[in-house]
């Protein structure tokens, strides 16, 4: 790989042990993907919840902080694994909380902003068209690439941290024009209604595409989705297909016409009602008792909090059904100010700050609370939580609240 003079100095250890590690790590990643050189990035976003970090990962971060590591660009964080104001009621242990505290201390010492969100593109500082960034979290990357027109690969935790320290990342994959051209062409014949249906559409296309290196271009969506609708669509597509980038003809910024991304040369594949129904079929459980209703993955925007609070007004959940809502600290502050958190809590819901359900020891809290049947309006989370011992089901936000009220899936 071609390295700048500054890259060479970092690699030689002239700028400290942390930057020596960071550049060395990036060089190994870049060589694996045949990167020709490095590119400057404006932001880094790290996915590093303590469940995935473990003791070794936290100790590594503490060692870097002790060695004087400091990030050189704005660096933010994905949802945490523990809401330190609400971990005991969930059945999380003091050991889990202590691991969280240690990691937060290390990050702050390195100058990392603990934003704790997977909706940073809606809340913190959205990247702009053509911006090179180093982001973790599949939902963050696919939204930033597709909707904002920024450029990022899926950065693992160590790679995102290295980018935050060096301000650079290997130039491969979606940092290159050639990898942003469409490789699969899908035609949608129906317009989704509601966040769950947008998620099912994204999940179906992700499953059909099925590879990190495939770039879907999608025709047939005639009106622009809202930020929340396309958020759920992208998060589900990335969850089912490892997809980091898609184009909507006439809607997303790199695809004013299908010719802009080379899609006119590709064979058209129809996404039918039958395809959507097949994706949804395993997640129906009408009439069955529900243990927990979850709104997360992605965290809720202020608009989603408003909609949820409106549905909760004047109602109360059944005694046998818990309700968990996950949002970012910044949205929580606004939602509290506007009375949305109070309305959700009056319904009997619990609003967690800066976490996401599946990143907060989902298996352990499920066992601690006796949660088995789970209901959500997120196509992403029902895809993930089957692997954590849950029986997940999917419904609209309206039906999720109605189910929580009755204690069974309506």
């Amino acid at each position: 790989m071609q390295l700048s003079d500054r890259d060479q100095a970092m690699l030689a250890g002239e700028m400290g042990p942390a930057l020596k590690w960071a550049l060395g790590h990036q060089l190994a990643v870049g060589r694996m993907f045949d990167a020709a050189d490095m590119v400057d990035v404006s932001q880094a976003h790290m996915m590093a919840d303590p469940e995935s970090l473990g003791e070794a990962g936290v100790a590594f971060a503490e060692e870097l902080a002790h060695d004087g590591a400091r990030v050189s660009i704005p660096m933010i964080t994905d949802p945490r694994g523990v809401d330190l104001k609400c971990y005991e009621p969930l059945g999380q242990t003091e050991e889990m909380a202590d691991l969280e505290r240690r990691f937060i201390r290390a990050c702050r010492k390195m100058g990392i902003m603990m934003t704790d969100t997977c909706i940073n593109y809606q809340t913190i500082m959205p990247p702009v068209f053509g911006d090179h960034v180093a982001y973790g979290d599949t939902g963050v990357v696919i939204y930033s690439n597709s909707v904002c027109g920024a450029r990022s690969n899926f950065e693992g935790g160590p790679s995102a941290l290295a980018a935050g320290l060096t301000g650079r990342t290997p130039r491969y994959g979606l940092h290159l024009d050639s990898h942003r051209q469409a490789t699969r062409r899908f035609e949608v014949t129906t317009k989704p209604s509601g966040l769950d249906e947008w998620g099912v559409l994204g999940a179906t296309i992700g499953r059909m595409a099925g590879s990190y290196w495939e770039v879907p271009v999608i025709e047939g969506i005639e009106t622009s989705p809202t930020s929340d609708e396309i958020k759920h669509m992208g998060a589900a597509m990335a969850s089912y297909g490892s997809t980091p980038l898609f184009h909507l003809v006439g809607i997303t910024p790199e695809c004013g016409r299908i010719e802009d991304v080379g899609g006119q040369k590709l064979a058209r594949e129809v996404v039918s009602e039958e395809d959507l129904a097949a994706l949804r079929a395993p997640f129906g459980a009408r009439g069955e008792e529900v243990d927990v209703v979850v709104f997360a993955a992605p965290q809720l925007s202020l608009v989603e909090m408003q909609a949820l609070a409106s549905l909760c007004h004047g109602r109360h959940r059944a005694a046998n059904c818990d309700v968990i809502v996950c949002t970012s600290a910044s949205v929580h502050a606004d939602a509290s100010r506007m009375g949305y958190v109070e309305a959700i809590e009056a319904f009997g819901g619990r609003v967690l700050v800066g976490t996401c359900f599946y990143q907060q020891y989902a298996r352990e809290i499920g066992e601690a609370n006796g949660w088995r049947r789970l209901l959500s309006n997120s196509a992403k989370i029902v895809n993930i939580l089957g692997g954590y011992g849950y029986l997940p089901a999917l419904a609209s936000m309206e039906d999720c609240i109605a189910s929580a009220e009755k204690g069974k899936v309506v």
Side-chain angles (χ1 to χ4, degrees), residues 327-349:
T327 192
S328 70
S330 57
V331 168
H332 185 272
D334 280 340
S336 295
R337 182 166 54 87
M338 297 178 189
Y340 305 153
V341 171
E342 183 180 10
I344 295 167
E345 290 178 344
F347 178 76

Side-chain angles (χ1 to χ4, degrees), residues 92-107:
Q92 293 174 319
T93 66
E94 195 60 40
E95 183 182 11
M96 295 171 183
D98 188 56
L99 204 60
E100 185 72 70
R101 295 186 190 99
R102 285 172 53 196
F103 186 68
I104 291 171
R105 278 197 297 270
C107 285

Side-chain angles (χ1 to χ4, degrees), residues 174-247:
L174 296 174
H175 292 286
L176 302 172
D177 291 343
S178 58
H179 286 273
R180 302 183 70 85
Q181 290 285 291
T183 63
R184 299 282 292 270
R185 180 180 181 180
F186 296 101
E187 181 177 356
V188 177
T189 57
T190 61
K191 183 178 185 339
S193 175
L195 301 179
D196 58 314
E197 291 192 9
W198 280 98
V200 168
L201 175 61
T204 302
I205 293 173
R207 177 179 283 176
M208 294 171 77
S211 166
Y212 178 84
W213 300 107
E214 300 286 0
V215 179
V217 59
I218 302 163
E219 300 173 283
I221 295 178
E222 298 175 352
T223 57
S224 294
T226 67
S227 176
D228 285 328
E229 289 169 343
I230 204 166
K231 174 179 74 174
H232 276 261
M233 177 185 178
M237 196 184 304
S239 179
Y240 277 79
S242 298
T243 310
L245 167 66
F246 65 89
H247 302 293

Side-chain angles (χ1 to χ4, degrees), residues 22 25-26 29-30 33 38-41 43-48 73 75-76 78 132-142 145 151-164 166-175 212 244:
H25 175 85
Q26 293 183 308
V29 171
F33 288 105
M38 308 276 286
V39 61
D40 289 337
V41 291
Q43 298 181 52
H45 172 264
M46 178 169 57
M47 188 173 180
I73 56 175
M75 180 156 192
I76 55 180
D78 211 34
H132 291 272
V133 295
Y135 279 178
D137 189 294
T138 51
V140 171
V141 171
I142 193 170
N145 274 320
R151 297 180 170 220
S152 180
N153 293 306
F154 289 146
E155 299 276 7
S159 292
L161 178 56
T166 66
R168 307 268 278 167
T169 199
R171 193 197 306 263
Y172 71 94
L174 296 174
H175 292 286
Y212 178 84

Side-chain angles (χ1 to χ4, degrees), residues 14 17 46 64 147 157 196 234 242 263 307 385:
E14 296 172 14
M46 178 169 57
L64 283 177
V147 182
D196 58 314
S242 298
L385 285 175

